[in-house]
Amino acid sequence: MASGSFINRSIFTPTVFPTLAPHEQTEALLLAAEFGMDASILAAAVCMKTNDVRGIMRAKHAYRLPDAAAAEREVYVAKPSNRHRIAALLFSLGALEKPVHLSATTAMSTLDIAHVSASRALRQMLADRWIIMARPSTPTTAAAYLLTEIGAVSAGEAM
C-alpha cells in the first residue's frame, strides 16, 4: 500500500480543507485514496466523520472547467521571431538594394535580444537563404548582408 508521500498533506487540515470548493474536496480525497490513504485517516486529518468523508468522495459535481483555449486566444499575442525582427531591421536599413553591415552585437543592442540569440538567428537566416553574406567580417568591420526575396517577405511578417 502506498504511503501517500506524493499527496500535498497541507490541504488535509481542519482549517484548509473546508475552504476548498466542493469539487476540489472530492478530487483531493479521491487522489489521496488512489495513493492508498484510508478514508478513516483522511477523516481524522480534517476532523470529520469517516462517513462524511466517504460521502464527499462519492459526490458528483456540476463543475465545468473553464474554456482554456478561449482564455489562451484572448491572452496570446504573436511575437515575431528574432529572425523576423533582424530581417525587418535589415530591410529598414536598405539591405534589399545594397549590402548592409550588421553584427550580432548591433542586432543585440538594437533589438534588445541576447547576443547568442542574434548570432544564432543570423546563422539560421544564412542557412535558410533569407540573407546572403556580401562581405565577411574583418577585425574592424561587421559582415555585410543582402536581404533576399525570402528575407524581404519574412521582414514584412515582422512589421
Side-chain angles (χ1 to χ4, degrees):
M1 181 175 285
S3 67
S5 60
F6 295 105
I7 300 296
N8 182 351
R9 293 173 194 250
S10 65
I11 64 170
F12 295 104
T13 65
T15 54
V16 176
F17 188 77
T19 65
L20 297 175
H23 68 279
E24 292 172 332
Q25 290 178 350
T26 299
E27 187 66 22
L29 291 170
L30 290 173
L31 286 171
E34 282 183 25
F35 276 97
M37 297 185 78
D38 189 65
S40 61
I41 295 170
L42 294 168
V46 295
C47 294
M48 294 177 72
K49 295 179 181 174
T50 304
N51 285 338
D52 292 340
V53 167
R54 286 192 180 118
I56 292 171
M57 292 170 75
R58 285 190 302 268
K60 303 292 180 206
H61 304 279
Y63 179 76
R64 295 187 57 147
L65 292 173
D67 185 4
E72 187 174 314
R73 281 190 301 271
E74 293 172 12
V75 175
Y76 179 75
V77 176
K79 180 181 172 188
S81 70
N82 289 337
R83 294 188 326 164
H84 287 90
R85 294 174 65 204
I86 291 173
L89 174 63
L90 286 167
F91 184 84
S92 70
L93 295 172
L96 203 52
E97 294 90 27
K98 63 180 178 6
V100 171
H101 291 276
L102 182 69
S103 66
T105 304
T106 304
M108 172 189 79
S109 60
T110 305
L111 301 174
D112 193 30
I113 58 177
H115 189 273
V116 69
S117 298
S119 297
R120 183 182 306 119
L122 285 167
R123 283 193 308 274
Q124 289 173 338
M125 292 170 74
L126 281 166
D128 293 343
R129 300 177 192 233
W130 288 20
I131 56 175
I132 298 169
M133 187 182 298
R135 284 189 286 281
S137 63
T138 67
T140 57
T141 60
Y145 299 102
L146 277 167
L147 201 57
T148 65
E149 272 188 50
I150 299 167
V153 169
S154 301
E157 293 173 10
M159 296 177 162

